Structure formats: C-alpha cells, structure tokens
C-alpha cells in the first residue's frame, strides 16, 4: 500500500502537458526564498518535465528549438501556496437547507468549478478535509488525468464522526433514518471506516473530535470521539502512511486528539497552556481558520445560516484568535488552513493579513502556506520551495509580500508543474 501511495504522490508531481524534450525558463525581478526570508534578485529558474532543475541569478538562458522563456521582469516569484483545510464541494452562498437536495455528481461539478478558482488564486496544493460520496477524490483524479483544471489535492473521503455529532447530518427528520457516510461508533467501526475511505482513494483522513459551529445540535466545545476511537483512527491511517486531521474546537477534544497521535488539529479554538504544551511535545500541526469568522458574521444571515450557528460563531471567533496568538508566541507548528467553503473559494489569501494581525510575521505566515504545509503532507522534499528537484509550482506577484502580505491577495501569474494556468499581465 505504501508503494501505491508513493506512486500516487509521484503522479501528482509529474503530471504535465509539456513536451518531454522542451525546457522552460522563467526570469523575474526577484524571488522569495521562503526558508531564509531573503529576496533573491534576478532569478532564472529552469524547468524540465514540470520539475525545477536549477535556480540561478543574473543569467540569460540559451534556448534550443522548442524551449520557452517566460519573462516576468516586473514581478516577484514565490512557491505555489498551499491550503490545508478546504471543502471544495460547498458554496457559502447556498443555504444549507438547499444543499440537502444536492446529488453527489452535482457536488463533484461544484468541486471542479471551485478547484479551478482556487488554483487561479495561487493555491497549487490543497487538502480537502471531507466530502460526501468520494466526490473530491473523483475531482482530484480528473485533475491528475488532465480532464479538468485544479490544484494538487490531498483528499479525505467522508469525514469520520459519531452518531449525531458534527460530522453526521442532524438536519433531517428521524423517520428518514439518514446517517452520514462517515459515521462510525467504536474503535473497530472507526477502523473499518478508515479502511473504506482508503479503499475508495482517500490519501488523507479527517475525523471530528468535537462539536462544531455549522452542525445542528452539537456543542462547539464538547468532545465527541473517545481516546480509544481516536487512537484506532490514527493507527489505522498511519499504517497506510496517510496524514490525519482532527476537527477540534474544544480543549478536551484537542488534547485527546494530540495524545492519540493526529498530524493536525483543525480550528483549535479553545487552547489552554496544557494543549499548547502537548502540541509542542508531539510536533502536532495547528490549522487555524481565523479569517472566515468575518465573512460568516457579515454575510451569514443573508446566506441562510441558522441563528444557532451564528451564535456559535460568535462564541468561537475571539477565543480562536486569542488561541492563535498564544500558539504563535509559544512556537507551535502552524500550517495555513482556511476552511474555504465557509467563505467564497478563491478568497483564501485574505487570511494571510489576519495571521499577521494576530501574531505572525509576514515570513511566518508565508512559511505556514509553503514549507510547513509541505512538511505536514510529508512532501517537504518536493513541494513548498523554489529549488532544484522541487515541483515547478510557481506564482508571481507585483509587490514584496515580506513587506506587505496583502500582495498575496492579487496573483496575476500561476504555474503548476511547469504549466501556466494564469497569466493576467
């Protein structure tokens, strides 16, 4: 199975429509070294078969027949951005009552549409943490096959959760006897559900450790899965070398999930000192969506969000931002995760300014969306930097994001695996 997963990762990296014999050269005004935080002047990047083969300075390419030279002399280059928490099937402008009637094929079409928007916003890699019917797995496979356009996707199947919990559907009457696909109670049932997700193509696993903001009838901070259930999920996924994400707002759920060995905690709203210390001790990554609260509290009512959910958002928002600030000061591992779908897809970069506002430097925020996210995916030798041997996932912007992080909200040039998908120059 590990060989199959490695082959799938290699396929994610090498897919490109470029000729195997053509070389692409990319020149620019400057390049951000995301490891050092230095601005490298006059870079020349050489790309073959979607992979960077060299990065030089103050050089001009010697072109052979069929080679291409892309000249961006007014722009600054960066690695493609990475968002570790998205839901490509969901549209925040569609009321949840209407979403109940959407078929899995309709969800997949939505996901394909939003995948393209996400890529064009400069996000060349995302982790989709939960979708019904294996819909985003189908979209991921379509992108890899060249049928549709979108970022690299690490796709969890249906999110695992307890009966009546945040990852169940509690909006339908009991006589329909509906249970969400990912519901599993007890350690062995949870293991079976992990195996089922892997069977149908998941290359990440997500479960709900606590209640949530947008579910019906759950307390946002209350723990749901027990330690034994969480440990079973993590152990089963790690035997197959898959990263595990735990949705966890509440303190006890966060601590239990960390002790169970999860790779990342999603939301992490109510952190205490012990939870922060545990995250540091275990090397757990925190993925904290501190921008979307503004969208929800501004547009939620007109988008049909229930008052129950708006109230829970009000309870969480300030606490989560305080927790974010404390985690940054403590030096906890942090990745970039937005929960895109709670706000419009394509606006992912709006979170960068909030990460800086609430405690990060510009470089730390950039690293969260590049080298840190690559580490979480165990792809830090292939993704997240502009250097030889790495995928040619490259964006370009007009200003210097190390001085003004909002420059990342306007990306005119996007390349993935050596192929240009956006060039608004």
């Amino acid at each position: 199975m590990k060989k199959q997963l490695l082959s799938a990762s290699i396929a994610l990296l090498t897919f490109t429509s470029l000729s195997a014999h053509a070389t692409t050269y990319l020149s620019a005004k400057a390049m951000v070294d995301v490891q050092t935080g230095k601005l490298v002047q006059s870079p020349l990047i050489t790309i073959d078969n979607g992979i960077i083969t060299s990065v030089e300075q103050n050089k001009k390419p010697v072109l052979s027949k069929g080679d291409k030279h892309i000249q961006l002399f007014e722009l600054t280059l960066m690695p493609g951005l990475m968002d570790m928490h998205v839901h490509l099937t969901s549209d925040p402008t569609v009321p949840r009552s209407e979403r109940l009637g959407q078929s899995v094929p309709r969800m997949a079409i939505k996901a394909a549409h939003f995948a393209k928007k996400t890529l064009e916003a400069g996000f060349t890699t995302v982790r989709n943490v939960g979708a019904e019917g294996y819909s985003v797995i189908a979209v991921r496979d379509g992108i890899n096959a060249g049928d549709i356009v979108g970022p690299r996707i690490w796709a969890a199947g249906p999110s695992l959760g307890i009966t009546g919990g945040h990852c169940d559907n509690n909006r339908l009457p009991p006589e329909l006897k509906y249970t969400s696909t990912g519901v599993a109670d007890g350690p062995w049932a949870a293991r079976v559900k992990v195996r089922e997700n892997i069977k149908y193509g998941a290359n990440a696993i997500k479960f709900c450790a606590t209640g949530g903001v947008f579910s019906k009838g759950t307390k946002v901070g209350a723990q749901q899965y027990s330690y034994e259930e969480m440990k079973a999920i993590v152990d089963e996924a790690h035997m197959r070398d898959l990263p595990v994400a735990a949705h966890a707002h509440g303190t006890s759920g966060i601590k239990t999930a960390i002790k169970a060995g999860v790779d990342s905690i999603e939301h992490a709203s109510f952190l205490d000192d012990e939870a922060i210390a545990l995250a540091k001790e275990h090397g757990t990554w925190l993925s904290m969506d501190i921008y979307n609260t503004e969208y929800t509290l501004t547009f939620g009512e007109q988008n049909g969000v229930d008052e129950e959910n708006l109230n829970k958002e009000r309870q969480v928002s300030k606490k989560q931002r305080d927790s974010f600030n404390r985690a940054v000061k403590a030096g906890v591992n942090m990745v970039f995760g937005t929960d895109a779908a709670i706000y419009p897809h394509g606006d992912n970069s709006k979170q960068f300014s909030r990460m800086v506002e609430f405690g990060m430097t510009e470089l730390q925020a950039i690293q969260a969306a590049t080298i840190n996210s690559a580490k979480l995916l165990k792809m830090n030798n292939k993704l997240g930097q502009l250097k030889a041997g790495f995928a040619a996932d490259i964006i370009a912007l007009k200003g210097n994001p190390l001085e003004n992080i909002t420059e990342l909200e306007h990306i005119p040039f996007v390349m993935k695996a050596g192929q240009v998908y956006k060039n608004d120059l």
Side-chain angles (χ1 to χ4, degrees):
M1 176 59 70
K2 287 189 177 182
K3 288 183 178 179
Q4 293 175 353
L5 291 170
L6 179 60
S7 297
S9 296
I10 292 171
L12 281 169
L13 286 170
T14 58
F15 170 74
T16 173
S17 64
L18 298 176
S19 165
H21 303 291
T23 297
T24 298
Y25 298 93
L26 181 57
S27 299
K29 175 183 178 182
M31 179 188 85
V32 176
D33 183 328
V34 296
Q35 275 196 314
T36 66
K38 294 180 179 179
L39 205 62
V40 178
Q41 300 297 324
S42 303
L44 174 66
I45 298 177
T46 305
I47 302 162
D48 284 302
N49 295 320
I51 303 295
I52 296 171
T53 56
S54 70
V55 179
E56 303 172 282
Q57 280 185 271
N58 301 306
K59 292 284 187 70
K60 291 184 179 180
V62 178
L63 301 179
S64 300
K65 184 177 181 181
D67 290 349
K68 182 188 298 183
H69 185 200
I70 301 171
Q71 301 177 62
L72 305 175
F73 293 128
E74 301 300 318
L75 302 183
T76 297
L77 304 180
M78 271 188 52
L81 301 171
M82 306 171 76
D83 191 335
M84 294 295 97
H85 191 124
V86 303
H87 297 279
L88 291 170
T89 54
S90 295
D91 182 345
T93 66
V94 176
R96 289 175 182 264
S97 57
E98 290 185 28
R99 295 185 213 174
L100 290 175
Q102 289 185 351
S103 66
V104 171
R106 181 71 181 98
M107 292 180 191
I109 291 170
K110 281 267 191 182
H113 170 71
F114 291 134
K116 185 173 184 288
K117 288 191 70 171
T118 301
L119 177 62
E120 290 174 347
F123 287 81
T124 54
T125 299
V126 300
R127 185 176 57 159
N128 197 89
V129 282
E132 286 293 309
Y134 307 98
S135 48
V136 174
I137 290 172
V139 171
R140 177 201 67 197
D141 294 348
I143 291 168
N144 293 345
D147 300 330
I148 53 178
V149 169
R152 308 175 190 283
I153 299 177
W154 266 254
S159 298
L160 277 66
I162 66 167
T163 297
H166 180 64
C167 287
D168 197 1
N169 186 334
N170 304 325
R171 298 178 183 275
L172 295 171
E175 55 267 26
L176 292 181
K177 301 184 185 302
Y178 181 83
T179 299
S180 290
T181 311
V183 168
D185 297 310
W188 281 107
R191 280 185 181 269
V192 169
K193 192 58 64 173
V194 172
R195 293 170 183 175
E196 186 177 283
N197 279 7
I198 295 171
K199 174 182 178 179
Y200 294 115
N203 55 349
I205 297 295
K206 188 268 191 83
F207 69 87
C208 288
T210 74
V213 171
F214 283 91
S215 51
K216 180 180 179 182
T218 69
K219 293 182 179 179
V220 70
Q223 183 173 332
Q224 295 184 352
Y225 269 131
S226 67
Y227 171 79
E228 291 77 13
E229 290 168 314
M230 295 188 202
K231 190 72 166 61
I233 292 168
V234 171
D235 287 352
E236 190 66 40
H238 283 178
M239 278 200 301
R240 312 293 189 90
D241 207 28
L242 269 66
V244 183
H247 160 105
H249 285 284
T251 311
S252 65
I254 292 169
K255 294 176 186 177
T256 305
I258 292 172
K259 291 173 184 176
V262 297
D263 298 282
S264 66
I265 298 290
E266 311 302 304
H267 312 299
S269 299
F270 301 108
L271 294 172
D272 64 8
D273 290 343
E274 183 186 9
I276 289 172
L278 280 170
K280 289 191 70 175
E281 177 188 345
H282 289 259
T284 311
W285 297 92
L286 300 186
S287 171
M288 301 180 71
D289 50 327
I290 59 169
Y291 164 71
N292 63 37
T293 184
E294 297 170 36
Y295 181 86
T296 297
L297 295 181
T298 302
F299 299 103
E301 185 176 358
Q302 74 182 54
N303 288 343
V305 177
D306 293 340
E307 186 60 29
E308 173 193 356
N309 307 118
L310 292 174
N311 279 333
K312 288 195 281 188
E313 182 62 52
R314 295 182 190 107
Q315 295 168 24
V316 167
S317 56
K318 185 179 186 304
K319 291 286 189 181
Q320 187 190 37
R321 288 175 166 186
D322 290 344
S323 291
F324 178 86
N325 180 264
R326 290 172 57 237
V328 171
K329 287 180 178 177
V332 179
N333 289 338
M334 307 283 280
V335 295
F336 186 92
T338 64
D339 212 356
I342 301 302
Y343 68 91
H345 295 280
D347 284 351
N348 310 57
S349 285
K350 289 184 177 180
Q351 179 163 291
F352 282 110
S353 64
R354 305 313 188 269
M355 295 170 82
V356 171
E357 180 181 352
F358 292 100
M360 283 189 169
T361 65
E362 285 82 358
L363 178 60
Q364 285 176 318
I366 289 168
Q367 288 175 335
T370 52
I371 57 177
N372 289 2
S373 290
K375 288 177 183 176
L376 170 58
L377 297 176
K378 298 179 182 178
M379 296 296 290
N380 48 302
N381 63 338
K382 295 294 181 184
L383 297 175
Q385 297 184 61
L386 300 182
K387 58 193 300 187
F390 281 63
D393 294 356
I394 304 170
I395 61 172
L397 49 154
K398 293 182 179 179
N400 180 1
L402 295 169
E403 295 178 351
N404 180 5
I405 199 70
T406 62
E407 294 288 348
L408 291 171
E409 296 176 19
H410 312 285
I411 307 294
F413 178 90
V414 178
M415 170 185 283
K416 189 190 82 169
Q419 182 170 349
V420 177
Y421 287 93
K422 182 180 181 181
N423 191 355
D424 291 347
L425 299 174

